[in-house]
Every structure is written in C-alpha cells, then in structure tokens.
Amino acid sequence: MPLRLLLYGLIALLIAACSVEQNTITANLYHNTAAHYNGYYYAREKTRDVEKLIARSLDDDPNQILRLFPRLDSTLAKSFTKDTEEIVKMASLSIQRHPNSKWTDDNYLLVGKARLYAYDFQNAILTFKYVNTKSPDTDTRHRALLQLLRTFTELRDYDRAEETFRFLEKEKLSKHNAKDLYLEKAYYYQERNNYDYMVRNLTLADSLLEKQDRKGRIYFLIGQVYQKLGFDAEAYNYYRKCIGTNPDYEIDFYARLNMAQVARLDHKRDIKQLRAQFERMLADTKNTEFRDKIYYELGEFDRKQGNLKQALESYSLAAHAGTNQRIQGSAYLRMGQLHFDSLKKYSQAKLYYDSAIGTLPKDFEEYDAIKKRQEILGDFAKYTEAITWNDSLLTLSVLDTALVRKRIDSVLAERAKPVAAAKKKKRRSVNTGSTGSSNAFFNSDNATVSWYFGNPSAVSMGQTEFKRIWGNIPLEDNWRRSNKATVLQDPGQVLTENNAEPNRPTTDAAAPTQKVDEAGKLISQLPYTPEAKAKALAQIEEGYFKLGDLYYFQLNEKENASQSYTTLLRRFPDSEHVPEVLYKLYLIARETDTAKAERYATQLKTNHPNSTYTHILENPDYLRETSVAAEKQKLLYKEAYTFYQANNLRAAQEKLKQAQREGETNFTPQLDLLQVLLTGRTEDVTRYQYELGEYIKKYPNHELKSYAEQLLGASKTLLEKLERAKGIQFSSYLDGPHNFVVVYTTGDNITIPVSNALDKFNAMQWKDLKLNTTNLILNADKTISLVTELPSRAAALSYFDKFLAQIASAKPFSNYKFYSFVITKENFQIFYRTKALDEYLTFFDRNYQKQNQ
C-alpha cells in the first residue's frame, strides 16, 4: 500500500512538472528536453535539408569568380514551400507548448530562417529583430543579427546591411559567429562588386573555417579575387592551398590551371616546366571535357610570352575543342584583340569580334564595351582599308603600266600560296585518314582509328563545321528550313591583305586566266585623271578624319586619335576639317602637354579666327549662350502645344508669340508649324491650306516638310468628303434614345472579343439600363457592334466618355483600329442605309464632341 501511494505521488509530481507555469528544476528539465528533442530537433533537421537544396542550386562556373553563397529567388523558394512551412509549424509548436524552455529563442531563429528561405523577407526581418530583442542568450542574438545581415543583403538594402555588420563588429563574438560575420561581409561586398574588401574578409575568415564550409572552394575563390586584383603571388598561394584540401575535381583542375597563369617565370626552365604541365594536362584523358579551357590558357601563356603566332593557334583550338560558349567566345575575343591591337589587321579583327559577340553570353564581363567595339569595327575597317586601298592606287597610277602589271601579278601569286598549300594539305589529310589537325595537342590518343565516332577530335571538328554552316539549331524535323544565324567558326580562312580592295571577292590566283582578269580589273581602277585622283584623295582625307573620331570618341584611345588627326593636317593642310581637328588636338594635348596645346590654340586663332571652334576656344560657354534662346523657345513651345491640345487656343497663341519674340533660331520651323496648326483651328480651311503650302515653300529641306505635306493632303481629302457629304442629311434632333456603335475591320476577327468586352462593361457600369449588344455587317470591309438602347443624349455621352476612359485603351481595342460614337435611332437608320461612316463621324464631331457643343 505505501509503495502504491509513493508511485501515485511520483506520477502526480511528473504531471505537475509538465505545467508551463512551473519553474522548478524538474519542470525546467522536462520542458528543455521536450522542446529540444521534439519541435526544435525536427525543425532544425528540415532547415538543414532546405539549406542543402539551396546549396545544390549554386551552379559554379570556374571561368568566372565563384559566388560565395547562392542567390535566393522566388522560383527556387516555391520548390521547397512545404519544407519551410513544416519548419515554421514544428518550431511554433515547440514555442507554444514549452514557452519557458531555453530553446524558445532558437526556435524563433529557425522560424526566421524558414521565412528567409521562403523569400518572405519582411516577416524574416521581424522575426530576427524579435530574437535580437528578446533572447537572453548573447550568442543567439548575434546569430539573429547575422541572419538579419543576410536578409538585408538579399533585399539589396545595403545601408541597413552595413549598419548591422558595423554593430556586430563592436560586439565580442564567439569563434563561430566571428567566422560567419566575415563570410557575410564578404558576400555583402561581392554583391556590391567591391572585391578588395571581399577578399580582406575572406582571408580573415581563413583561420576560422571548418570542414563543412568547403575550404577548398573558398580558397579557390580567394585565389580568383587576388588574381583579378593583380596580386599574383597571393593568388598562387591560395590556389595551392585549395589543391591541398583535395577539393572537387573541377575546382582542383581549374586551380592548377590558374596557378599556371599567376606563376612567376624568372627562368627559361620555369617556362619549359609550365609548358610541359600543359602537355600533361592535355594528354590526361580525365581532362577531355576541359580541353577547350586548357588550350585557352595555353594561348594566354603564349600571349604573355609574346608568342602571338602560337597564341593564335591555341585560341583557335580552344574555340573548336569544346562546347562552352564562354570559353569559345573568349577565344574569339582574344583573337580579335590581337588582330586589332598587335597585328593591325582590322578586317580580320572585325570577323573575330562578330564571332565573339555571337557566342559570348550577355552577362560576360564588359560585354557592352566588347559589343561597342564590335559595332564600330565595321566602320574602322572600312576607313583603314579605304586609306590603304586609295594610297595603293595613287602609288601605282604614276608607274608604267607594264611595271604595274608585274607588281599585281606578284601580289596575286603570293596570295595564292596559302590557298594552294591549304588545298594540298587537305588532300593529304583525306588520303591518310587524318582528322585535319596538325597540332599534337589536338590529336587524341585514338586518332588513328578508322571509325569516325571513335575519334573525339574528329567528332568535335565535325560538330564545329556543322555549326559554322548551319548555326546552333535545335534537333527537329525539317531542320534545314529553320532560320540560321551563323558566326565565324573557321578562323583559319584566308582573308585579303590590308592592301586589297575592301569587299572584293577573293579569287583563286592559281589559274592564269583569272590572274589576267584580276590584274585587268585592278588596272582599270587606277586614278589616272585629275578627277579620279581628287576623289581618291577625298576618301583618304575623310578616312583619317573618321578614324580620329573613332579613336577619340568611341574607343577613347587619344594617342591613336592624335596620330590620325596630325596625319590629316600634314597631308591635307587645306581640308575643311582643319579647324575642328586643331580644336580636338588642343583638347587632347591639354591633358599631357600644355605647350603643344597652346601651339594648336594659336594656330586655330590665327588661321581660322571666325570658326565656331575658335569661338568655343575663346569662350567655353559660346554654344550654351547661343542656344539659350532656342531652349527658351522649346519650353514656351511645350506650354503652347499643351494649351493647343486642350483646345485653349487663346493661351496657346500667347505662348507662341512669346517664343517668337526670342528671335530666329534653329527651332523656328517648329514654332511656325504650330502657328499653322492654330490657324487651322481658328480660321477657315482655305486659309489653313494656304499657310501649309507657304510653310512647305519656306522650309523645302527641313525634316518637318513631309509632315506638313501629310497635313495638307489630309485637309484636302477631308474637304472633298465634306463636299460629298452635303447629299446626306442627318437629323439635328438629338434628344431622344441613342445607340452606342463600335466600327472595326471585319478581317481583324474581333467580333466576339469586342462583344464580350462590351457585355462585361454593361454589366459592371450600366446594369440598371439592361443594355443589349448585337453585331451587324456594315459593308464588305466593316462590322458593327451595337449597344441598345441608351435613354437620352446625356446618358449616351456619359457611356461614350466612360468607354474611352475605361476600356478603349485595353484589349481587344488597344490592338486594333476602330471607330466609336453614339447615334440616335433615327440617324442610325440613315447611317446604316447610306453606309456613310466618314460623313457621320464628321456630323458626330460637330454635334457631340464637347469643344463643339
């Protein structure tokens, strides 16, 4: 019996301990244990599952600087909505059932993280702020602030993010929280493209990193940033540390490759060792999918050593060895840069830039600058080739015809050599079953196999050749009928030399008859007459001027611009461009050589005292001051036109007179046309047409002439219609019931959408009137949607105004041309019988529109 009582007492004690109001040792032990190993435990495990899913969404591309953390987005969040809801549910249950446990603040922290991962940033912020305010544990408050920092960074609210980490910097943090702060700050700075502060925080976190932080990946990222900032020695050390952590194979591969980029090459032995390393990497079958990257880095290595020929060969192989468009585009870009900057072969540079832009993704670094250069290279090649071509023609024009023919034959023969060599090499490759590559790096170990698909190099080349001809097309039926947009895929093609005529087709000079024809064509273009020589010199003059502008304004290469401008002055001292060129040379020299700039300024003032550029030189505000009147006129014109549109013609006329009192400027034609439009509103049509005719005579070359001609034609057409309309008389009694009409082209097939839109409009706005919508064929081209019937003119006009304001600008009306108006039942009978659409529209404008009432 006593034992049973003792058992009952123990049970009662345990039940009492379960009460949330108890604050005893037993109660605290129970609630802490239950809160931790029930709701909190399951919520934490589910949170880890979500974090793994987010981590897997990070698509690393070692060719770019890696992202420290994956970016959160709403699409990703939807994929684990159930998980985040479960986290909130389990953590909330733990909070509700064990509110006094020491795991309450930890549960709130999990709720905040779930909301962050669910892309519910505002509620996440509130939760983290709550934990920071209410938690008794300093470490937990710091963790909440770290998550708040991440939330602000994801929101791109950088000011509040900085406030948060500035506060944390003053706090005494645990080792784990200190590491997280450095990483969060590094992520913040990466989002702001501040790589200097990013790498500083990553290096501070180095000694605190743990195994689960993927040290190798972070070391690789630090190496990338140091390499970008130009600290090659530090980059080399971190790439080596990365390899020492045994990272993923792809990171290991790129770390070794990047080490070759930043390695110090003090001796020829170092260069040989590095080249041998490239050979070993190419020979390793595990690197098959990375061959394009290896070739690209080999090209970078040769470029830095000044071996441009070998670099171009490697870049060419990189463009063909894989399918990574970023690497392929980078290879084309490098070839374009080398042909432009070093080899001065601008036509070839243009082709490579075209291929680079056609291949590179739009998020490529400095893509806009690359595209800008690609766009101007066409003009650049045009002007450089025009100069070279015309100079060659002028030089040949003073020689004996026989000597000219001899020189041309010699040039054609030289041009034919690489073509013949390529054909011979191709025949030899076909006969021996070669894949066509002469580079030892490009040939795979099994290149001698007889089966085509057993040779990866041959397959790769075949794919590249297919893309060169057909472009990147999807696998589909009738694929040859698809639209193709190809880019340059054969950088080895033979292009004309700089002294060849631009845009001339290349011919096979190996055939004697073709050589004779080619030589004859060239001789026929030689400028023997004074007029032909003047034309050639004019093209050369224009070429130097345009090249200078391209260098100066488009490429921002002032030294090259100065060379083009000074060549123009030396060769063409009487050019009409001289004042402008002297002023530009003055601007360029002013930054580096004030004495030279002063010489240009003196020359401009002395030889061209009345030039606009001389006035600008003497008074930098010259253009601004001379354009003040025009700017005032523009402001007054804007006000006058606003009044004109509102049919406030008196106010419009006053503003227009104010603008005209500013005097004659380049904006006067716009003012005169507005005056004509006002005449059309205030006087009869005959006067309006006369003023339009006078305007056209006064400004025969102005851009507004065509618009004035359109206005004049429309006015005459309208006048003819009015004359024709005299035979149709609509009733002037407008107070009875009305219909609302929409007229549109039958071929647009919008009868059903229009009817549905009108029915919906009637149901929402005019339910009490019980309106009906019907459709009628007006004529062979037009269809009518008719709303009947509106009880009065006032109701009809109210319906018309609301239609225009609420649904006329929405679909289907916004996509098609239509006419809308209200009409009495009597006039509708006349309208439908006569089909007089234009005539009734005129009648409607006169009798219903507000300005005419």
Side-chain angles (χ1 to χ4, degrees), residues 496-764:
T496 58
E497 298 296 331
N498 283 340
N499 62 348
E501 181 185 4
N503 300 324
R504 286 183 60 85
T506 304
T507 59
D508 188 354
T513 56
Q514 291 187 6
K515 285 203 299 183
V516 172
D517 291 339
E518 185 73 8
K521 290 178 182 178
L522 293 174
I523 292 173
S524 68
Q525 297 181 57
L526 295 179
Y528 289 116
T529 65
E531 293 80 6
K533 290 182 179 181
K535 182 179 178 182
L537 287 170
Q539 291 179 0
I540 295 172
E541 175 189 345
E542 187 69 11
Y544 279 117
F545 180 73
K546 294 294 187 182
L547 278 179
D549 283 354
L550 286 174
Y551 275 126
Y552 190 21
F553 297 111
Q554 301 292 336
L555 299 177
N556 197 30
E557 298 178 9
K558 296 179 180 179
E559 185 61 32
N560 288 329
S562 180
Q563 291 179 9
S564 295
Y565 288 144
T566 52
T567 303
L568 173 64
L569 293 179
R570 176 173 52 80
R571 294 190 59 178
F572 305 97
D574 299 324
S575 170
E576 62 178 6
H577 299 303
V578 168
E580 183 177 353
V581 167
L582 286 171
Y583 180 70
K584 290 174 181 175
L585 286 170
Y586 161 78
L587 294 178
I588 294 172
R590 186 176 59 178
E591 300 177 5
T592 56
D593 190 339
T594 55
K596 182 186 287 188
E598 191 58 36
R599 288 197 298 271
Y600 286 131
T602 302
Q603 189 177 349
L604 178 59
K605 295 175 185 177
T606 304
N607 298 335
H608 309 278
N610 298 320
S611 168
T612 300
Y613 295 98
T614 303
H615 295 316
I616 297 172
L617 184 65
E618 295 172 340
N619 177 16
D621 295 329
Y622 173 76
L623 289 178
R624 182 178 60 82
E625 292 175 359
T626 56
S627 65
V628 167
E631 292 301 319
K632 287 182 179 179
Q633 288 177 333
K634 290 177 183 179
L635 294 174
L636 291 168
Y637 173 87
K638 184 177 180 180
E639 295 181 46
Y641 191 74
T642 301
F643 285 130
Y644 168 79
Q645 288 182 310
N647 209 39
N648 191 347
L649 304 182
R650 187 184 298 277
Q653 187 67 63
E654 288 298 321
K655 289 295 180 182
L656 187 58
K657 287 180 179 179
Q658 290 182 40
Q660 290 170 335
R661 283 196 290 269
E662 293 294 328
E664 189 86 12
T665 69
N666 59 356
F667 197 70
T668 299
Q670 282 86 341
L671 300 178
D672 288 350
L673 184 58
L674 181 56
Q675 182 64 68
V676 174
L677 295 176
L678 285 169
T679 300
R681 289 279 185 94
T682 57
E683 300 188 32
D684 61 82
V685 69
T686 305
R687 178 72 178 178
Y688 173 63
Q689 291 181 359
Y690 170 79
E691 293 295 342
L692 281 172
E694 291 300 306
Y695 181 89
I696 293 168
K697 293 177 184 177
K698 185 177 180 180
Y699 301 107
N701 299 316
H702 197 271
E703 59 183 6
L704 290 175
K705 176 192 173 185
S706 60
Y707 180 61
E709 290 174 337
Q710 292 176 16
L711 291 175
L712 182 58
S715 177
K716 291 180 178 179
T717 301
L718 178 61
L719 197 60
E720 293 173 0
K721 289 182 178 179
L722 289 174
E723 291 296 326
R724 182 164 52 89
K726 290 180 180 179
I728 302 173
Q729 296 294 328
F730 290 101
S731 173
S732 59
Y733 179 75
L734 307 176
D735 291 330
H738 281 64
N739 298 330
F740 174 78
V741 179
V742 178
V743 183
Y744 44 87
T745 303
T746 304
D748 289 338
N749 296 320
I750 58 172
T751 301
I752 294 177
V754 168
S755 297
N756 291 339
L758 291 174
D759 286 339
K760 184 177 180 181
F761 178 63
N762 294 339
M764 293 178 63

Side-chain angles (χ1 to χ4, degrees), residues 139 502 530:
D139 187 61

